[in-house]
Structures are given as C-alpha cells and as structure tokens.
Amino acid sequence: MTAAAPAPISKAERSERAKRAFDHLAAPQDALVLFDDQFIFYYCGFAFFPTERPIGLIITREGERILFVPRLEREHAQQTSEAERVEAYPEFPGQRHPMLQLADLLTELGLETAHIGVDHDGYLSVMGYDGPPLSEVLPGARVSRVSRALDHQMALKSEAEVALIKESAYWGAQAHRLLQDYTRAGANETEVEARATKEATAAMIAALGDSYRGQNRWMSGAVALYRGQIGPNSALPHAMTTGATFQPGDTLVTGAGAAVWGYISELERTMFVGEASAEQRRFFQHMLNMQDIAFEALKPGATCASVDAAVRAYFEREQLWDHWRHHVGHSLGQRIHESPFLDIGDERVLEPGLVLSVEPGLYVPGLGGFRHSDTILITPSGMELLTDYPRDLASLTLS
Amino acid sequence: MTAAAPAPISKAERSERAKRAFDHLAAPQDALVLFDDQFIFYYCGFAFFPTERPIGLIITREGERILFVPRLEREHAQQTSEAERVEAYPEFPGQRHPMLQLADLLTELGLETAHIGVDHDGYLSVMGYDGPPLSEVLPGARVSRVSRALDHQMALKSEAEVALIKESAYWGAQAHRLLQDYTRAGANETEVEARATKEATAAMIAALGDSYRGQNRWMSGAVALYRGQIGPNSALPHAMTTGATFQPGDTLVTGAGAAVWGYISELERTMFVGEASAEQRRFFQHMLNMQDIAFEALKPGATCASVDAAVRAYFEREQLWDHWRHHVGHSLGQRIHESPFLDIGDERVLEPGLVLSVEPGLYVPGLGGFRHSDTILITPSGMELLTDYPRDLASLTLS
C-alpha cells in the first residue's frame, strides 16, 4: 500500500471542475444539463444506482450545481452530493413526466431560451425508461451535445486523481497475486476468482479504514478475475465466464483492479498452466514486443493514432494480421473505458495527465489469447507505469 | 431446488420472438435495428459486455437476424449468438466510423429508404463513444423509436421464462437464508454479503451443473446483500454500501436474487438486529399491510395504476405521506427493472404472464427503511408468488 491512503477528491476540486467545464466547450453555453451518472459523479460527487427514474445535473455559467432527482433519492443526494441545490420530482412515470418537471425547473432558472450543452439530448436508460428529448420539452432553448468536450476534461487527470488510480493499481496487483497463487490445474475459475477477490477486498478495507468507499459502477472492492478467458476460450477478447476448470496447458488471460473513491486501474496478464509450448512462447514474445513498442511510442506530442500505427506496423512486419482483434488501448480512471483511444482513427495529441491502458493483443483460435494490460500516465517527458506486476514468461508460468 | 433444472430459452423461442416483434408495433416497419444489449440478448441470445464499440442487431421483416459487431467480437458472436448472420467492422473509432459501416450494411440489405424501427436512434454508451444518429447516416430511411412496443413484448413472459425466474427465486432465497444466518451485531456488511453470496453461488453451480450460465448484466451467481441499507442508512431506498458494522437495534433492508440463463428475480426483506422497538414494529406492520393490499389488487384486467392507487389510499388513511418515497413495484425478469411499473401514472392493464416486484416501502429518517419485495406472476385468476421466504416479524428478528 502507499505510505498514506490517498484522500478522496476534494469539494474544491469538484467545484472547480464544474466551473472549468465551460472552458472546454467549442461554442459558449449558458448552462450544462448532464444525465450520465459518471458525469454527475465527476462534477458533484453523487454516486448512485441509475435506474429508469431520470436524474440530471444542471450546471450554471456561474458554476452552481442543481441536482434533479426522484423523491426516493432526495435525502441521499442532500447527504452525499456536493450540489448547491437538490430538487426532487415525485416518481417515474408518475402523474406528470419528470422531463416536463425538469423543463419547469430550467424555466424557473431563466434558461428556457438559453444555449444548453448536454451529454445526451434526454435521459437514457436500459430499464424501461421512455420519454422525450430535452430539446422537445424546452423548445425555445438551443440544445447542443458537448459530451466530447467533457470527455476531454475528464481525461486529463489531476494529482489527486492519479494518487487514487495508483492506490487502485496497488490493490489490483494484490488481488492478482492471490489469483495467480490460487490458480492450478483442477481448480474452478469461479471459486478462484471469488477467493482472491474476497481476501484482497478484506485486506484493502482493513488498510484504508472505515471511511473507504468504492463508488465505482464497474468494480467493487479489489477484484481479480478471468471472465472466461481460459484455454481456447481466451482467444475471445471479450469472453464471458463459463465456470471452467483449469487444465494443464491452458493459456489464461486475467484482469484485476480495485475501486478507490470512484477511481480504478487495469492490470491484465497472460499466464500458462504448466510449461508453455513453443507456440505459446512465440505468441507471448510477440505480445511483449508489441507492448514494448507501444510504451516507446507513448509521449507527449505524439498522437493516439501514432501509437496504434506503431503496433500495427509490427503486425504487418511479422505477418500477424490473422491474430489482430483490437486497438492498443483506451483512457480510463473513473469509467472503465474512457476517451481518447489508442486507435489509428483517434488523432488526439497525448498530453501529460492522460491515463491509458496499454494492451495490444494476439488471438489464436484453438490456442488462446495473448494480452498484458498495464495502466500508464503520460508525463512531461514520456510515460510512467502505474501498474506494477511481473510481465515475463517465467513469473507467469504456474507450476 | 426445483425437481429438474430448467432449460435455457430455446433457439425456437428466440427466433419466434424476432418474428413476432413486428406484431407489437403501432406502425408497420420494414426492419428493426436494436442497439440495447438487453434487446440483443432477448432476440438472438448474444450475451456480451457492452463498451464504446457499437453493437447492433438488424431484424428483417422475415425474421432474419444480422448481428453487427466489432472485429474483436466476431468469433464470440458466431459461436454464441443465434443470429443467422454476423458482420464485423474493424474497430471504434477506427478509420471509418462504425455507424457509416452499419449504414452500408443496411443499404446492402435494401433498407436505405425503408421504415426502420429502433430502440434508440443511434448507439448509446457510457464509455466514451461518440457518433451520429442512425437517421443521420441513413437519411433516406424513416427511423422511428419502437422501444415501448418491444418492452411490452418482453414484459409478457413465456412458460420457459417463468421457469427460469422461479429457479432464480429459489437460489435467491438460499442466498438470503445464509445472509440472515451470518448477520449478527458486530459483523461487517461486506464480509457477510461476500460469504453468503460465495456459498450460495457454489451450491447453485453444483446443483445446476457445468452448463450453467448467468448471462445477466445485473447479477452474477446467487447473491444476497445489504447495499448499505443498515440502521439509519436504510432510510435511503437506494443507499450505497458503506462497509457498516451491524449494531443492536439496527433496521436492515436486504436484497437477494440469482442469475439463471439471463433471468433474475427479486427478494427483499426488512429485518431487525435484536428485538424490534414499538416504533419499528409499528412501521413493519404498516409495510406488511400495504404489501397485502397490493397483493389483493394484482389481477388481470386491473391497471398498474390501480395497484399503486390502492396503496396510496393507505398512506392517506394512515397519514403516512411523510414516509412515502416511491411507487409499488416494477416488472422484471431479464432486466432488473422493466416496464410496466406499478405506478399511478402507468395505465397499462395487467395481463397473465407479467412478472412484477411488489415492494411498497416506508422510510423513517433516523430509524430506517421498511420494505419487503416479492416477485409475483399475474395468472388468469390473480397472482402467484414466485419468491418464497418468511415475511413475519418473528422470522426476521435476529437474535
């Protein structure tokens, strides 16, 4: 663990984010209305379980934050968010659609004919929500999507954010160590994951103390898992769990991280159950070479695309295209995947403060997948590894 | 466990769903294009991890299903989905936006000027995706939102679906029994949840066999938890976990369920650490009375709104409005919350085959929350409880 547990993001930092959000926009806006739970947490610290009941955050030009929630979240929002004001509507669907009540609130704030930047034009949900776009219930306003600009703000991490991501990386590595220790031929994927995750989570909570909160949508505690990437099934980059039993000769692809005050990291390793075959060793070495090429290319001033292009050149040179499945990596920190992407189509320039996964992969049907993922920080002079775990073949061969 | 483990949804049933989807639409469509991972699973059985890389399912009027996926999901989709055809694009963002490639595919299918029903006009994501609406990349087509009609189809459960939900309810109750057994003053929320969940999951996997898959976005294995609803914090209906230690006198609100081939159930109970006080008993009894009122009102031909209204009349009669936070319940099965809702604003008529949670609640700041949730099936003559767990005070008082 780091010398002292890092502090959660301060109220001052979140308040500053809300004021600064307007600096990132291509066109001036009078206010922002955000529906995505991750933007809401980012700007006002409200961590909640999104459902079919719309929740929205209004940010005025002066940086005042007004959180619009269903009645059942009122006290929760008042107690745990940093919004200057909380307004509640009774229920969804309710007797009057919540979006109409949001339009009332915006009108009361003098924003009925304003320029309003939104992440989405209306509320989104995967739980039976149905309702009109904001532009329809507030027809006098000019509603524009600005999520790309806000993604850009979110991508540049502060010192406090990097400290939380490092803490996450530390606990992810602890969980991964346990996962590796408990994995052996004959053991069951689900049991090994559950044991490593439970023990690493308990150790993390004991170390970080009672005030610790995970506050992340994708991870809870300190986790390590396989997600079905075992043996031939590891040739599927996004396999789903199958409750497999480990077999001698299996190629394994892992994943580990931890949720610390809303922030996460990503650590993945390719491992082998028993001595790797010549073919496994060959693909493992190609994968290591490609990750080294990406590390070399990651520096301020380079583009995201150039990093992907450097790795693609290796695929070309070594005639490995049959085994290509995806780009080199993605930003992360609060969301498990954030923009920008280390992708040939992403021309954004790398800047100090970006945190990215570096995970070029090779996939061989019948044999398995070959992918390490590390989390790195772009620094003024190059990059810094935030994850710390062995990556060589000997260290990742299970006896 | 039920006498024999129920089978997953058959290929014939999913294929029939795709053909029948068109019967539910208010206006005729030539094809459907669906982006929501839950609709995609419902119509073609592809369970996947949604990211910033768009995935879409095209369903033609003839019921042919064409799954549009990123390269990294091609083999996964070919091996595990029931789509008649899988088409892959290289990557997002990539050199050409995936939505333009989807437009190419729709054009190739002769749909460039068709009437196309969509769940959303374009891909949605919470992971840094950015892209145009479908209506923009296919300007000759007439794109209409039909998600409400598809929600209606999804809400009416088949016998095979009800069997899976019952199996889920059985394992949810097993997990809840363990949660109750392990909860005592001085124990830690996170540890009790982890232990109950791990043991119930192991028992379920042992009983259902190696072929078992969870395939659910919200639950994994058989789970029981508190999600922070402990002591005064249980007065927040959607509290988040705090890693609390149980104290004598605490009011507790639980949650339990299990993922079985994509289907889930919901079981929640109000419990007390030690003898309940007079005030705790009073609110507990009101809550039981309200759940009984809802059970009485649930029958085919009644509206969703009428059930909520019956419970609201009790709030009025007993002067309990200060403690009201939400409507009576929601549909569920595949999604953790589905439409329709037992809400005063939902005029849909109850029909046999609907599966709903019944969970009127009372919330008392400083004291706690009072809510049982059971999962029920609307039958031709009334309703059937699918969850089976004691609901009386004595059974839920922890010594």
Side-chain angles (χ1 to χ4, degrees):
Chain A
M1 129 192 75
T2 55
I9 299 303
S10 69
K11 290 187 179 189
E13 182 166 333
R14 282 196 206 278
S15 167
E16 193 65 17
R17 287 176 184 172
K19 292 191 176 84
R20 288 265 184 96
F22 292 87
D23 304 344
H24 291 261
L25 307 179
Q29 304 292 339
D30 301 310
L32 300 175
V33 178
L34 307 176
F35 296 103
D36 178 288
D37 64 309
Q38 296 302 307
F39 282 134
I40 292 173
F41 179 70
Y42 183 76
Y43 290 112
C44 83
F46 185 43
F48 63 97
F49 178 58
T51 70
E52 70 282 357
R53 299 175 175 99
I55 290 184
L57 177 67
I58 304 166
I59 307 178
T60 68
R61 201 74 183 81
E62 296 70 39
E64 192 191 5
R65 293 162 294 179
I66 302 122
L67 196 48
F68 177 74
V69 298
R71 177 65 190 86
L72 94 165
E73 289 283 27
R74 190 172 77 185
E75 288 82 0
H76 190 210
Q78 287 168 337
Q79 289 167 28
T80 67
S81 90
E82 293 155 27
E84 281 75 18
R85 183 173 157 195
V86 173
E87 286 293 327
Y89 65 88
E91 183 56 294
F92 170 83
Q95 288 171 304
R96 187 152 186 268
H97 197 287
M99 288 302 284
L100 298 174
Q101 301 183 61
L102 177 60
D104 292 345
L105 176 58
L106 290 164
T107 301
E108 179 210 312
L109 292 167
L111 295 167
E112 74 273 34
T113 58
H115 289 207
I116 298 179
V118 297
D119 50 358
H120 297 279
D121 187 8
Y123 186 66
L124 299 176
S125 175
V126 290
M127 291 194 196
Y129 171 77
D130 194 43
L134 183 65
S135 56
E136 188 180 309
V137 296
L138 209 66
R142 196 156 120 195
V143 173
S144 318
R145 281 198 60 174
V146 298
S147 50
R148 200 177 161 86
L150 304 183
D151 276 345
H152 191 84
Q153 180 184 15
M154 185 185 264
L156 291 169
K157 304 300 192 275
S158 69
E159 278 182 38
E161 291 180 290
V162 171
L164 291 169
I165 294 168
K166 280 187 184 172
E167 189 74 19
S168 165
Y170 174 82
W171 292 107
Q174 303 309 302
H176 197 290
R177 170 55 55 202
L178 295 174
L179 186 85
Q180 180 168 350
D181 287 351
Y182 298 150
T183 299
R184 58 179 199 295
N188 176 280
E189 165 188 21
T190 309
E191 285 181 30
V192 168
E193 289 178 3
R195 186 174 170 202
T197 296
K198 181 175 184 296
E199 292 179 13
T201 299
M204 180 174 73
I205 292 174
L208 297 186
D210 281 349
S211 70
Y212 160 79
R213 298 285 183 279
Q215 298 189 316
N216 190 270
R217 175 207 267 249
W218 291 275
M219 288 184 197
S220 157
V223 299
L225 42 72
Y226 289 100
R227 212 184 57 218
Q229 299 171 118
I230 292 165
N233 210 43
S234 67
L236 304 176
H238 280 190
M240 305 292 271
T241 193
T242 61
T245 296
F246 302 103
Q247 309 290 340
D250 275 351
T251 304
L252 310 175
V253 182
T254 64
V260 182
W261 292 106
Y263 288 82
I264 55 175
S265 57
E266 179 171 315
L267 167 69
E268 299 178 351
R269 285 293 178 267
T270 301
M271 308 198 299
F272 302 101
V273 183
E275 286 300 311
S277 67
E279 202 184 8
Q280 285 172 320
R281 285 199 305 274
R282 185 168 76 86
F283 285 109
F284 186 90
Q285 188 59 49
H286 278 311
M287 178 272 290
L288 277 187
N289 294 349
M290 295 195 304
Q291 205 189 21
D292 285 336
I293 287 169
F295 288 153
E296 261 321 291
L298 283 157
K299 58 189 83 164
T303 62
C304 288
S306 72
V307 180
D308 200 30
V311 171
R312 282 167 171 256
Y314 186 89
F315 271 98
E316 180 72 26
R317 198 158 63 236
E318 301 288 335
Q319 301 186 303
L320 290 167
W321 281 116
D322 281 353
H323 307 295
W324 180 90
R325 297 291 182 272
H326 57 74
H327 54 217
V328 168
H330 53 81
S331 302
L332 75 160
Q334 189 180 301
R335 303 178 199 264
I336 200 166
H337 294 188
E338 297 178 357
S339 165
F341 301 95
L342 296 175
D343 181 286
I344 198 161
D346 198 324
E347 286 299 335
R348 274 172 280 185
V349 173
L350 296 170
E351 298 171 69
L354 285 177
V355 172
L356 295 143
S357 76
V358 184
E359 48 176 322
L362 290 159
Y363 301 87
V364 188
L367 184 67
F370 299 82
R371 181 179 76 245
H372 286 355
S373 182
D374 284 276
T375 301
I376 67 99
L377 169 70
I378 301 292
T379 63
S381 59
M383 57 146 265
E384 177 190 344
L385 268 172
L386 303 184
T387 34
D388 178 16
Y389 201 86
R391 56 195 286 270
D392 62 290
L393 181 68
S395 299
L396 299 167
T397 300
L398 311 182
S399 56
Chain B
M1 131 192 70
T2 53
I9 300 302
S10 69
K11 290 187 179 187
E13 182 166 333
R14 283 196 206 277
S15 166
E16 193 65 17
R17 288 176 184 172
K19 294 192 176 87
R20 288 265 183 97
F22 292 87
D23 304 343
H24 291 262
L25 307 179
Q29 304 292 338
D30 301 310
L32 300 175
V33 178
L34 308 176
F35 296 103
D36 179 288
D37 64 310
Q38 296 302 306
F39 281 134
I40 292 173
F41 179 70
Y42 183 76
Y43 290 112
C44 83
F46 185 43
F48 63 97
F49 178 58
T51 70
E52 69 283 357
R53 299 174 175 100
I55 290 184
L57 176 67
I58 304 167
I59 307 178
T60 69
R61 201 71 182 82
E62 295 71 40
E64 192 191 5
R65 294 163 292 179
I66 302 123
L67 195 48
F68 177 75
V69 299
R71 177 64 190 89
L72 94 166
E73 289 283 27
R74 190 173 76 184
E75 289 81 0
H76 190 210
Q78 286 168 338
Q79 289 167 27
T80 67
S81 90
E82 293 154 27
E84 281 76 17
R85 182 174 158 195
V86 173
E87 285 293 326
Y89 65 88
E91 183 55 294
F92 171 83
Q95 288 172 304
R96 187 153 185 266
H97 197 288
M99 288 301 284
L100 298 174
Q101 301 182 62
L102 177 60
D104 292 345
L105 176 58
L106 290 165
T107 301
E108 178 211 313
L109 292 167
L111 295 168
E112 73 272 35
T113 57
H115 289 207
I116 298 179
V118 297
D119 51 358
H120 298 280
D121 187 9
Y123 185 66
L124 300 175
S125 176
V126 290
M127 292 194 196
Y129 171 78
D130 193 44
L134 183 65
S135 56
E136 188 179 309
V137 295
L138 209 66
R142 195 156 122 196
V143 174
S144 317
R145 281 199 58 174
V146 298
S147 50
R148 200 176 162 86
L150 304 183
D151 277 345
H152 191 83
Q153 180 185 15
M154 185 186 263
L156 291 169
K157 305 298 192 277
S158 69
E159 277 182 37
E161 292 180 289
V162 171
L164 290 169
I165 295 169
K166 280 186 183 171
E167 189 74 17
S168 164
Y170 173 82
W171 292 106
Q174 303 309 302
H176 197 291
R177 170 55 55 201
L178 296 174
L179 186 85
Q180 180 168 352
D181 287 351
Y182 298 150
T183 300
R184 60 182 197 293
N188 176 279
E189 165 187 21
T190 309
E191 285 180 30
V192 168
E193 289 179 2
R195 187 174 169 203
T197 295
K198 182 175 184 295
E199 293 178 12
T201 298
M204 180 174 73
I205 291 174
L208 298 186
D210 281 349
S211 71
Y212 160 80
R213 297 285 182 280
Q215 299 190 315
N216 189 270
R217 175 206 268 251
W218 291 275
M219 288 185 198
S220 159
V223 297
L225 41 72
Y226 288 101
R227 213 185 55 219
Q229 298 171 119
I230 292 165
N233 210 43
S234 67
L236 303 177
H238 279 190
M240 304 292 271
T241 191
T242 62
T245 297
F246 301 103
Q247 308 289 340
D250 275 351
T251 304
L252 310 175
V253 182
T254 65
V260 183
W261 291 107
Y263 287 83
I264 55 174
S265 57
E266 179 172 315
L267 168 69
E268 298 178 351
R269 286 292 179 266
T270 302
M271 307 199 299
F272 303 101
V273 182
E275 286 301 309
S277 67
E279 203 183 7
Q280 285 172 320
R281 285 200 304 274
R282 185 166 77 84
F283 285 109
F284 186 90
Q285 188 58 49
H286 278 311
M287 177 271 289
L288 277 187
N289 295 348
M290 295 194 304
Q291 205 189 23
D292 285 336
I293 287 169
F295 287 153
E296 260 322 291
L298 283 157
K299 57 188 83 162
T303 62
C304 288
S306 73
V307 180
D308 200 29
V311 171
R312 281 167 171 256
Y314 186 88
F315 271 98
E316 180 72 27
R317 198 157 64 237
E318 301 288 335
Q319 302 187 302
L320 290 167
W321 282 115
D322 282 353
H323 307 295
W324 181 90
R325 297 290 183 274
H326 57 73
H327 55 218
V328 167
H330 53 81
S331 301
L332 75 160
Q334 189 180 301
R335 302 179 200 263
I336 199 166
H337 294 188
E338 297 178 357
S339 166
F341 301 94
L342 295 176
D343 181 286
I344 198 162
D346 198 324
E347 286 298 336
R348 273 172 281 185
V349 172
L350 295 170
E351 299 170 68
L354 286 178
V355 171
L356 296 144
S357 76
V358 185
E359 48 175 323
L362 290 159
Y363 301 86
V364 188
L367 184 67
F370 299 81
R371 181 179 76 243
H372 285 355
S373 181
D374 285 276
T375 302
I376 67 101
L377 170 69
I378 301 291
T379 63
S381 60
M383 56 148 265
E384 178 191 343
L385 267 172
L386 303 184
T387 34
D388 179 16
Y389 201 86
R391 55 194 288 268
D392 61 290
L393 181 67
S395 300
L396 298 167
T397 300
L398 311 182
S399 57

